[in-house]
């Protein structure tokens, strides 16, 4: 089996003559969190629906667990947990009764699965409250509980923090991180909030008007995010002495024999260069790395930015 | 399949309308009671009383309408609260889903008819309108259960339409049209419509007198009518649901 | 009813029994093939695979058992991988944490040696250099201590002591340090005797590290030590009124080399609290922290009493 749990090739979806998803090649690696970032209506939900077979594919193909999903639903679905849009449940039943129904239909991986799932998302088990009386945040939590009820390998979460309060968002975020880091689950998550994805994802795909603009690992992106002055000089000890004595900063680090990063970006680069030259330290190169993720996204989405 | 049906019943918990609709089963026996009391008749032919209380409007108008509402409700709730989507990814097969709903309708119809039967006996015997007679009561019970079963098959097309539309207006209107169409078509050709096709099945042994109909009672075309309508409904559901998903 | 009627009835009854059994058999076979497939997957290394089962299944216990084994091995594997990663991180940050002060140390010494500075300035340079050297030494010492703790090679000499007496002695040495740093202090140690099995050196180290941490990071001007014996355990709380620790940082403060302020200033080394935690754990106790940003931080150590 390949390392990709989800792989799409030239995935396209048309509604009438409108193209909602255009030749998307998505690669979700095993054991990682893949963040699908894009504005509302960019096509995130449609992609997820096509992956799950909830809506017909116009052209292209989807592979889940390395194989085509069509015709193998019975074997593949039990290994996936998903929330698509706002999760729907029966309003005349309580939260536990709702989950009980899905546990009965799908089967569970361990005894007391319903209680466990509800504990994990922080909902009371065997509560008398009917789903119809749930708040938006509670509904979302129940949706997550249903997605993890059968301890699936792959989670597909469409805007799971929608409707949650800030504390709830942080809770869900930590819990998703735990699922990935402590249990090794693979997670495909979508969001229109950059900071949300930046905190969670290992890999990131940016989608705009149905087109996947960029797919890369978060680590790659983070390199573009920090602000520092990168100096390559001939004599590191001397350079550090000058920084400390003349510029009174200790906020720098030495990465190898010739490279030095100054994190104190308030320093005037020209002045630093000049001072180094004056003291006979050859400056091989100096550059200001000053790019934020936001700037970066603005650049690739053509100036519109995300969220 | 058993599991699906079981969960279907779990889903109906705390639905008051379901119980309220069962009250409609009491309507015709009660009206029959009033009617015969008004006429001051006692010791009438049980079949005559049954025809009024159990087999008349109850079977041809009230129960079809009630079942139509039930079908619409069962299907509409799933799309309204977006639960169908959750079921597809369990996965639940579309046909399994459809038949489990049908099974609920079937059980409901049989329950409804049994209540009607009980109410008919309770309205008839203690008031002296009909005499107590085991064989006629057993006949009533047997026919009621049979009708409950048959009528749910007759309602299959409505269930199919409800399953394939997202709203509730179309299936609800269609139910009324369907029920009255059966009523109107009976004198023309009863083998065209499942609801009117129930008549020959109901009267197959000519136990009931007093019905003046121009046509012969033949079972085969009636059964054929059911088969054609139901197969068409199932095929329709199969095509529409698999395309929608 | 005659004999034929009974026979007929019996036949129909048995027909249904047989039908039921056949269905049951088919279902068990299906479940077994699912189990086989899952087992093959698990054998191939996919420890996230679960076998789903229902309350009524005959194979329920087997499935639960398989899942439990998979969950167990998965969490072991992840733990292992995490400690490997942590070790790698340690090595990278180590090379960085040693290299930077070393480079500037060399810079200062070169300046003195090359007679670039003379007189008082030279002496100041040497002073700064030796301070840096001491800090480096301290860092290396704590690092080795930590490595020893982490590898489980630390040898403890546990003996039964009166913790209150021990704490008073330690605090006696801290009072002048606190005074010279301009901190108000409040020490509340009961006059009674509370006996605990401790390694006095380790215990001293724990308190030292906590106070050191406050001194370096908290910016507090008031610190409280409060010891209270309970029935089973003894609680040591150290509270400051400094800047506190933010919610995001709080869960990580006991991680090695974790520093809340990401500036690379060279105070502290990110090992103190981590060492304190290891030591407290070795005593069979717990250490926790709670904090209100802007209002201060409280560290609570609970040690089991000798009864």
């Amino acid at each position: 089996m390949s390392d990709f749990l989800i792989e799409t090739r030239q995935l396209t979806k048309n509604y009438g003559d409108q193209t909602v998803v255009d030749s998307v090649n998505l690669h979700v690696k095993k054991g990682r969190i893949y963040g699908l970032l894009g504005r509302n209506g960019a096509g995130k939900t449609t992609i997820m629906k096509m992956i799950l077979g909830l809506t017909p594919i116009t052209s292209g193909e989807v592979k889940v667990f390395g194989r085509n999903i069509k015709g193998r639903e019975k074997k593949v679905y039990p290994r996936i947990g998903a929330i698509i849009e706002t999760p729907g449940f029966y309003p005349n039943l309580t939260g536990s009764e709702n989950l009980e129904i899905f546990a009965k239909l799908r089967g569970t991986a361990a005894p007391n699965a319903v209680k466990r799932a509800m504990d994990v998302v922080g909902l009371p088990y065997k509560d008398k409250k009917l789903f119809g009386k749930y708040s938006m945040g509670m509904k979302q939590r129940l949706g997550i509980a249903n997605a993890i009820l059968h301890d699936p390998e792959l989670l597909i979460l469409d805007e799971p923090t929608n409707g949650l309060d800030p504390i709830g968002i942080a809770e869900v975020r930590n819990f998703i991180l735990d699922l990935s880091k402590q249990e090794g689950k693979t997670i495909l998550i979508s969001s229109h909030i950059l900071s949300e994805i930046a905190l969670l994802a290992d890999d990131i795909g940016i989608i705009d008007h149905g087109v996947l603009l960029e797919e890369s690992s978060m680590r790659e992106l983070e390199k573009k995010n920090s602000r520092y002055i990168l100096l390559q000089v001939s004599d590191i000890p001397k350079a550090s002495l000058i920084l400390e004595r003349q510029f009174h900063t200790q906020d720098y680090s030495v990465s190898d024999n010739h490279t030095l990063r100054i994190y104190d970006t308030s320093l005037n680069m020209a002045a630093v260069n000049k001072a180094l030259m004056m003291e006979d330290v050859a400056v091989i190169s100096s550059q200001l790395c000053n790019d934020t993720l936001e700037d970066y996204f603005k650049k690739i989405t053509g100036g519109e930015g995300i969220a | 399949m058993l599991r699906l049906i079981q969960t279907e019943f779990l889903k109906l918990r705390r639905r008051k309308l379901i119980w309220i609709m069962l009250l409609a089963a009491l309507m015709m026996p009660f009206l029959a009671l009033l009617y015969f009391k008004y006429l001051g008749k006692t010791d009438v032919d049980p079949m005559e009383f049954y025809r009024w209380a159990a087999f008349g409007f109850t079977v041809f108008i009230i129960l079809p309408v009630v079942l139509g509402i039930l079908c619409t409700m069962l299907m509409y709730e799933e799309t309204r609260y977006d639960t169908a989507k959750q079921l597809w990814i369990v996965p639940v097969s579309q046909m399994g889903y459809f038949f489990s709903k049908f099974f609920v309708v079937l059980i409901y119809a049989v329950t409804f008819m049994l209540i009607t039967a009980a109410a008919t006996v309770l309205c008839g015997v203690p008031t002296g309108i009909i005499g107590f007679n085991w064989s006629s009561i057993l006949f009533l019970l047997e026919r009621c259960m049979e009708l409950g079963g048959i009528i749910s098959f007759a309602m299959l097309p409505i269930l199919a339409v409800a399953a394939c539309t997202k709203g509730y207006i179309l299936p609800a209107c269609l139910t009324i049209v369907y029920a009255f169409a059966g009523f109107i078509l009976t004198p023309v050709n009863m083998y065209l419509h499942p609801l009117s096709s129930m008549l020959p099945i109901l009267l197959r042994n000519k136990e009931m007198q007093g019905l003046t109909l121009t046509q012969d009672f033949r079972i085969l075309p009636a059964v054929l009518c059911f088969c054609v309508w139901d197969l068409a409904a199932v095929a329709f559901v199969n095509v529409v649901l698999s395309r929608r998903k | 009813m005659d004999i034929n009627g009974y026979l007929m009835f019996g036949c129909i009854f048995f027909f249904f029994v047989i039908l039921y059994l056949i269905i049951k058999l088919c279902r068990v076979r299906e479940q077994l093939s699912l189990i086989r497939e899952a087992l093959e997957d698990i054998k191939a290394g996919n420890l996230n695979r679960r076998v789903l089962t229902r309350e009524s299944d005959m194979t329920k216990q087997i499935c639960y058992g398989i899942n439990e084994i998979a969950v167990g091995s998965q969490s072991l594997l992840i733990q292992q991988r995490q400690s490997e990663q942590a070790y790698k991180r340690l090595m990278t940050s180590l090379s960085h944490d040693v290299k930077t002060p070393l480079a500037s140390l060399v810079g200062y010494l070169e300046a003195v040696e090359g007679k670039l500075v003379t007189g008082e300035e030279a002496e100041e340079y040497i002073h700064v250099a030796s301070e840096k050297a001491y800090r480096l030494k301290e860092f290396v010492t704590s690092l080795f201590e930590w490595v020893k703790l982490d590898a489980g090679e630390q040898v403890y000499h546990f003996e039964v002591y009166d913790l209150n007496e021990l704490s008073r002695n330690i605090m006696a040495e801290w009072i002048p340090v606190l005074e010279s740093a301009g901190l108000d202090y409040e020490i509340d140690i009961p006059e009674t005797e509370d006996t605990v099995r401790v390694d006095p050196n380790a215990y001293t180290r724990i308190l030292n590290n906590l106070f050191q941490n406050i001194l370096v990071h908290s910016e507090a001007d008031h610190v409280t030590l409060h010891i209270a014996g309970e029935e089973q355990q003894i609680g040591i709380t150290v509270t400051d009124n400094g800047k506190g620790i933010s919610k995001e940082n709080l869960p990580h403060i006991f991680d090695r080399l974790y520093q809340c302020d990401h500036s690379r200033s060279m105070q502290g080394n990110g090992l103190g609290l981590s060492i304190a935690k290891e030591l407290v754990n070795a005593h069979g106790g717990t250490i926790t922290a709670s904090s209100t940003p802007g209002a201060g931080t409280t560290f609570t150590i609970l040690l089991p009493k000798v009864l």
Side-chain angles (χ1 to χ4, degrees), chain A residues 21-132:
Chain A
V21 175
D22 192 2
S23 316
V24 167
N25 296 314
L26 212 65
H27 301 89
V28 180
K29 289 193 201 101
K30 194 176 176 196
R32 293 169 73 97
I33 302 180
Y34 188 105
L36 200 55
L37 182 66
R39 257 165 297 164
N40 291 329
K44 293 166 291 173
T45 303
T46 314
I47 291 179
M48 289 183 159
K49 275 184 165 173
M50 283 195 282
I51 291 171
L52 285 169
L54 287 175
T55 190
I57 297 167
T58 308
S59 70
E61 79 176 323
V62 177
K63 281 186 171 177
V64 183
F65 298 112
R67 283 160 78 183
N68 241 319
I69 205 168
K70 195 118 190 124
R72 303 175 60 246
E73 287 96 341
K74 257 189 125 167
K75 293 222 161 120
V76 175
Y77 281 141
R79 299 168 66 183
I80 306 176
I83 311 179
I84 298 291
E85 291 163 331
T86 40
F89 290 101
Y90 302 97
N92 52 320
L93 305 182
T94 67
S96 345
E97 284 167 351
N98 266 303
L99 290 193
E100 217 69 72
I101 284 185
F102 287 98
K104 208 161 232 148
L105 286 174
R106 200 190 270 136
T108 55
N112 297 325
V114 172
K115 185 177 186 315
R116 278 190 210 188
M118 292 195 85
D119 282 349
V120 167
V121 297
L123 286 175
Y125 179 59
K126 294 272 180 205
D127 193 20
K128 291 267 185 328
K129 196 168 186 171
L130 300 183
F131 179 75

Side-chain angles (χ1 to χ4, degrees), chain A residues 58 61 120 211 242 263 267 289:
Chain A
T58 308
E61 79 176 323
V120 167
V211 182
I242 293 162
Y263 297 98
L267 289 187
C289 301

Side-chain angles (χ1 to χ4, degrees), chain B residues 123-141:
Chain B
C123 286
V125 176
T127 52
I129 295 172
I130 51 170
F132 185 79
N133 179 347
W134 268 119
S135 70
S136 89
I137 288 175
L138 279 179
F139 168 78
L140 176 70
L141 272 180

Side-chain angles (χ1 to χ4, degrees), chain C residues 67-87:
Chain C
N67 292 337
E68 231 168 87
I69 293 172
V71 170
S73 346
Q74 172 78 331
S75 70
L76 263 181
L77 193 76
I78 283 174
Q79 255 173 31
Q80 219 168 12
R81 206 175 292 154
Q82 273 175 345
S83 73
E84 259 167 45
Q85 265 171 8
Y87 196 73

Side-chain angles (χ1 to χ4, degrees), chain C residues 120-139:
Chain C
E120 240 173 66
E121 208 182 350
E123 254 166 50
E124 198 210 324
Y125 269 39
I126 290 175
H127 180 70
V128 174
S130 76
E131 229 170 53
K132 279 179 189 289
Y134 275 118
R135 216 173 277 159
L136 202 58
K137 179 179 164 247
E138 215 173 275
F139 175 74

